[in-house]
Amino acid sequence: DAKTTQPTSMDCAEGRAANLPCNHSTISGNEYVYWYRQIHSQGPQYIIHGLKNNETNEMASLIITEDRKSSTLILPHATLRDTAVYYCIVRVYYTGTASKLTFGTGTRLQVTL
Amino acid sequence: DAGVIQSPRHEVTEMGQEVTLRCKPISGHNSLFWYRQTMMRGLELLIYFNNNVPIDDSGMPEDRFSAKMPNASFSTLKIQPSEPRDSAVYFCASRPAGVGETQYFGPGTRLLVL
């Protein structure tokens, strides 16, 4: 499985952009990068995913380096409700389209006033 | 859309008792996942069903754990006999058909085995 490395924790001031880095240097050419977050006591929540191009949705932006060995999740205007553990995950395939996610330890983002 | 439904939300039981956790996936989703989360081990995949068939049960800790998916709208995770080290939050997630890996998680069942 492609392994990801994330900082253990980060702080961000409310209203500022939160930039969460992730290293996935062993990623294969067809493996997608997924980001989920887990707010305290809740189930993980999907945020965004990408293969090689930058992606944006209503929650966040995902910047993937050209060599695909790292990526950054950007929350453009962090709020207190964005305080959570953020997981960067490389999708693992079995055969065909069957796949799974292997969650690591993630980055604990604390948004402060 | 009610989302993924899990029951019970909380369970307290004594060592040696049988525990059954239940999950109703989102209608139309064809994949279902059971996860376990503890402080020590984080979020671990226990078993993965695709079209009601188990694809990967390599994460099931031991024979005390069993999971079934008799139809597309219901799954159970059973622990018999339960032990204190089984105390954890158990999440069920479902995923729609297709090539994506967007999983929708339920609220979890918090299990405490005394």
Side-chain angles (χ1 to χ4, degrees):
Chain A
D1 297 359
K3 180 178 173 59
T4 62
T5 304
Q6 299 178 254
T8 301
S9 63
M10 295 182 64
D11 291 330
C12 179
E14 188 176 35
R16 306 296 294 268
N19 297 283
L20 291 87
C22 178
N23 288 320
H24 32 78
S25 58
T26 60
I27 194 170
S28 298
N30 66 340
E31 291 177 327
Y32 283 75
V33 178
Y34 279 75
W35 284 82
Y36 279 71
R37 73 180 183 184
Q38 187 174 22
I39 296 171
H40 181 62
S41 298
Q42 299 181 19
Q45 174 191 26
Y46 165 81
I47 301 173
I48 198 167
H49 72 280
L51 181 63
K52 63 176 77 172
N53 298 318
N54 297 338
E55 303 288 343
T56 295
N57 62 21
E58 65 278 5
M59 291 183 68
S61 294
L62 176 60
I63 308 298
I64 302 174
T65 58
E66 192 168 344
D67 63 9
R68 301 206 332 113
K69 293 185 177 182
S70 66
S71 60
T72 301
L73 178 74
I74 301 172
L75 307 179
H77 305 287
T79 70
L80 296 177
R81 288 177 296 180
D82 293 321
T83 293
V85 177
Y86 287 78
Y87 298 98
C88 169
I89 310 158
V90 174
R91 182 185 187 186
V92 175
Y93 287 90
Y94 295 95
T95 58
T97 58
S99 64
K100 68 177 180 180
L101 301 173
T102 301
F103 287 78
T105 54
T107 295
R108 184 172 299 277
L109 175 68
Q110 179 69 51
V111 180
T112 57
L113 292 172
Chain B
D1 187 350
V4 175
I5 299 173
Q6 291 187 246
S7 65
R9 294 291 307 275
H10 302 271
E11 177 80 24
V12 181
T13 190
E14 292 185 345
M15 183 175 63
Q17 296 298 307
E18 178 180 293
V19 175
T20 299
L21 310 181
R22 297 173 176 79
C23 175
K24 177 179 171 55
I26 294 173
S27 177
H29 287 195
N30 73 332
S31 293
L32 184 140
F33 305 82
W34 281 100
Y35 293 87
R36 177 174 68 176
Q37 186 170 36
T38 61
M39 289 293 292
M40 292 296 295
R41 300 176 66 89
L43 193 62
E44 305 172 279
L45 176 65
L46 299 177
I47 188 167
Y48 157 34
F49 291 90
N50 192 51
N51 293 322
N52 311 337
V53 176
I55 301 298
D56 180 1
D57 64 356
S58 61
M60 296 287 266
E62 49 198 272
D63 291 345
R64 297 185 299 105
F65 285 69
S66 63
K68 294 182 179 180
M69 192 163 187
N71 57 63
S73 60
F74 183 66
S75 177
T76 59
L77 178 67
K78 185 174 294 186
I79 308 172
Q80 166 63 18
S82 59
E83 297 182 2
R85 59 189 169 128
D86 301 330
S87 298
V89 181
Y90 291 82
F91 289 104
C92 175
S94 68
R95 185 185 72 196
V99 297
E101 194 56 62
T102 303
Q103 298 182 20
Y104 296 80
F105 282 76
T109 294
R110 283 153 182 78
L111 174 65
L112 177 61
V113 183
L114 302 174

